[in-house]
């Protein structure tokens, strides 16, 4: 998006500010094809754009919630309902200064693979680092939906709460891509393991919480 619209809300859901972040240009990310089992499907294109700004927000009770929404997802996704009309919400919470006077969010150490092999074990280090040295816990989680094909770029994005995506059975938060054994992440180390047995394109959610 140019610009990308990011909204800032207080704990009562009242909008504090709306940011318009200009597109900085994108970088193409190539899939890792070092595994000889991989045959790259046609039409795979992944890009990364990093939007940056500096903003000063005074400490307030309850902190702030930031949100960005965009529709839609690829219609070839097989594990959620109506992906071509299901957008995504990206949100961050800045805590109350009484809870964390100075806090940094954890960040994942590695990008997850863009493509993986069917009928072969996946072992991936999905661990994160936290500049504050907080204790981190990992889990599989359900991503948020947000926006739709009629309003693909809300201005401003609405405040929380946000609705989760809807999994198509037999897929669910604990069985996101199928296979046996199902995908799992070690709560303490962030080691992600899976054994996919079906070809397809999947939405996957991995969360890290700090304490």
């Amino acid at each position: 998006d140019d610009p990308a619209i990011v909204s800032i809300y207080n704990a009562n859901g009242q909008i504090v500010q709306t940011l318009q972040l200009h597109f900085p240009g994108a970088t193409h990310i190539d899939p890792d094809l070092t595994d000889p089992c991989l045959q790259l499907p046609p039409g795979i294109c992944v890009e990364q754009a990093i939007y940056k700004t500096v903003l000063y927000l005074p400490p307030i009770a309850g902190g702030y919630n930031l949100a960005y929404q965009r529709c839609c997802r690829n219609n070839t996704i097989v594990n959620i309902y109506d992906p071509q009309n299901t957008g995504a919400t990206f949100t961050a919470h800045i805590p109350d200064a009484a809870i964390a006077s100075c806090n940094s969010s954890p960040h994942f150490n590695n990008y997850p693979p863009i493509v993986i092999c069917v009928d072969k074990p996946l072992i991936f280090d999905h661990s994160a680092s936290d500049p504050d040295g907080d204790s981190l816990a990992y889990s599989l989680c359900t991503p948020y939906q947000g926006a739709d094909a009629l309003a693909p770029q809300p201005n401003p994005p609405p405040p929380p709460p946000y609705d989760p995506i809807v999994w198509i059975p037999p897929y669910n938060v604990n069985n996101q891509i199928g296979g046996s054994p199902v995908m799992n992440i070690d709560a303490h180390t962030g080691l992600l393991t899976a054994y996919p047995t079906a070809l397809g394109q999947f939405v996957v959610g991995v969360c890290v919480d700090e304490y």
Side-chain angles (χ1 to χ4, degrees):
D1 288 335
D2 191 9
I5 308 299
V6 177
S7 56
I8 304 174
Y9 289 92
N10 63 22
N12 296 320
Q14 298 169 322
I15 195 162
V16 175
Q17 192 171 347
T18 299
L19 306 179
Q20 297 191 10
L21 306 181
H22 292 289
F23 178 60
T27 301
H28 184 79
I29 299 178
D30 294 319
D32 182 359
L33 301 178
T34 55
D35 193 321
C37 79
L38 278 173
Q39 297 180 22
L40 189 65
I44 297 295
C45 179
V46 177
E47 292 183 325
Q48 178 192 57
I50 300 176
Y51 293 79
K52 291 184 179 182
T53 190
V54 176
L55 183 68
Y56 294 94
L57 296 169
I60 60 173
Y64 298 92
N65 291 298
L66 284 68
Y68 165 77
Q69 288 188 339
R70 196 64 166 91
C71 192
C72 297
R73 301 175 187 265
N74 296 335
N75 62 7
T76 50
I77 292 172
V78 300
N79 62 340
I80 69 171
Y81 280 107
D82 198 17
Q84 61 185 343
N85 287 303
T86 301
T89 297
F90 303 91
T91 183
H93 177 67
I94 300 176
D96 190 325
I99 298 175
S101 59
C102 186
N103 183 67
S104 295
S105 296
H107 61 271
F108 290 111
N109 297 318
N110 303 297
Y111 289 111
I114 296 170
V115 290
I116 60 177
C117 291
V118 70
D119 296 324
K120 183 174 181 180
L122 169 68
I123 301 174
F124 175 70
D125 179 7
H126 218 314
S127 63
S129 297
D130 186 276
D132 307 317
D134 293 335
S135 176
L136 302 181
Y138 305 90
S139 64
L140 301 178
C141 52
T142 299
Y144 294 124
Q145 58 177 291
D148 54 34
L150 296 178
Q153 186 188 12
N155 185 9
Y162 302 109
D163 294 326
I165 60 169
V166 181
W167 302 101
I168 293 178
Y171 302 108
N172 56 57
V173 66
N174 296 312
N175 181 25
Q176 298 188 14
I177 65 171
S180 181
V182 296
M183 189 170 68
N184 180 64
I185 190 166
D186 188 291
H188 301 290
T189 66
L191 186 68
L192 183 76
T193 56
Y195 194 90
T197 56
L199 293 174
Q201 189 171 13
F202 301 84
V203 171
V204 171
V206 175
C207 287
V208 55
D209 292 298
E210 60 174 351
Y211 296 92

